[in-house]
């Protein structure tokens, strides 16, 4: 009986590690003690959740991933920052009937581009970038909440 428990324990531990690792994007890194982590909360209007999701994942993030800064050093920082980004969709509505999408840069890469303006301009040109930005802004119930925090040793 104890041999079966030991085998079960080993299998449980191994399986738990595989499951935990499978939830992490390939190559993703997270902040170490003392490094900064960047959070942006997007409070979205009740009736704009699907539209915001479509703009974010269909237009904004493709512009981010394709963005090529003219400065090679900054471009390398941008590529590095993409490996630290997470975008979380809301699973339930807030008490005030808004939805909160969460952007996390973990760790925050100093000098990288986190502003959607330059990538949108580069991908879509001035007029279309402005149209995307206007539709994006129309989804917000309130301004973005931005936090820059330091990772603790926990």
């Amino acid at each position: 009986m104890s041999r079966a428990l030991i085998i079960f324990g080993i299998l449980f531990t191994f399986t738990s590690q595989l499951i935990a690792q499978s939830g992490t994007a390939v190559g993703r890194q997270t902040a170490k003690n003392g490094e900064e982590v960047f959070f942006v909360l997007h409070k979205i209007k009740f009736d704009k959740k699907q539209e915001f999701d479509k703009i974010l994942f269909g237009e904004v993030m493709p512009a981010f991933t394709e963005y090529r800064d003219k400065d090679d050093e900054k471009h390398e920082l941008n590529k590095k920052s993409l490996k630290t980004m997470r975008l979380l969709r809301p699973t339930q509505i807030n008490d005030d009937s808004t939805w909160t999408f969460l952007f996390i840069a973990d760790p925050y890469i100093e000098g990288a581009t986190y502003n959607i303006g330059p990538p949108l301009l580069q991908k879509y040109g001035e007029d279309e970038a402005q149209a995307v930005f206007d539709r994006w802004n129309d989804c917000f119930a309130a301004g973005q909440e931005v936090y820059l925090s330091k990772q603790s040793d926990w």
Side-chain angles (χ1 to χ4, degrees):
M1 181 68 168
S2 65
R3 184 171 186 226
L5 285 174
I6 291 171
I7 292 171
F8 175 78
I10 291 169
L11 288 173
F12 178 78
T13 303
F14 180 72
T15 305
S16 297
Q17 288 298 316
L18 286 177
I19 291 169
Q21 290 174 7
S22 70
T24 302
V26 175
R28 178 175 291 155
Q29 48 184 250
T30 58
K32 295 174 181 62
N33 187 17
E35 289 184 321
E36 293 179 320
V37 180
F38 185 54
F39 300 89
V40 182
L41 281 66
H42 302 88
K43 290 194 78 168
I44 303 304
K45 296 174 186 173
F46 172 78
D47 60 341
K48 296 289 186 171
K49 179 184 176 196
Q50 282 76 26
E51 182 177 352
F52 184 79
D53 190 277
K54 184 178 175 184
I55 295 166
L56 177 61
F57 293 103
E59 296 175 90
V60 172
M61 291 315 296
F64 250 100
T65 59
E66 296 169 19
Y67 181 62
R68 174 64 167 103
D69 198 283
K70 62 183 178 237
D71 179 282
D72 290 340
E73 187 176 321
K74 185 151 182 151
H75 180 67
E76 289 304 313
L77 291 173
N78 292 340
K79 285 182 4 184
K80 186 177 177 183
S81 75
L82 285 173
K83 292 180 181 177
T84 74
M85 289 184 191
R86 293 195 306 261
L87 298 164
L88 286 76
R89 290 180 168 113
T91 58
Q92 60 188 22
I93 196 163
N94 300 324
D95 289 342
D96 64 356
S97 297
T98 62
W99 301 96
T100 300
F101 285 75
L102 181 61
F103 166 84
I104 305 170
D106 179 15
Y108 173 74
I109 305 297
E110 183 73 38
T113 299
Y114 291 102
N115 178 339
I116 67 170
L120 289 178
L121 279 170
Q122 188 176 82
K123 182 168 178 65
Y124 301 111
E126 192 171 330
D127 291 341
E128 185 60 27
Q130 186 63 53
V132 171
F133 193 70
D134 289 345
R135 286 186 287 111
W136 162 275
N137 278 334
D138 187 49
C139 293
F140 283 84
Q144 295 173 324
E145 292 181 44
V146 178
Y147 303 93
L148 188 59
S149 303
K150 285 205 186 243
Q151 177 64 46
S152 69
D153 57 355
W154 280 88

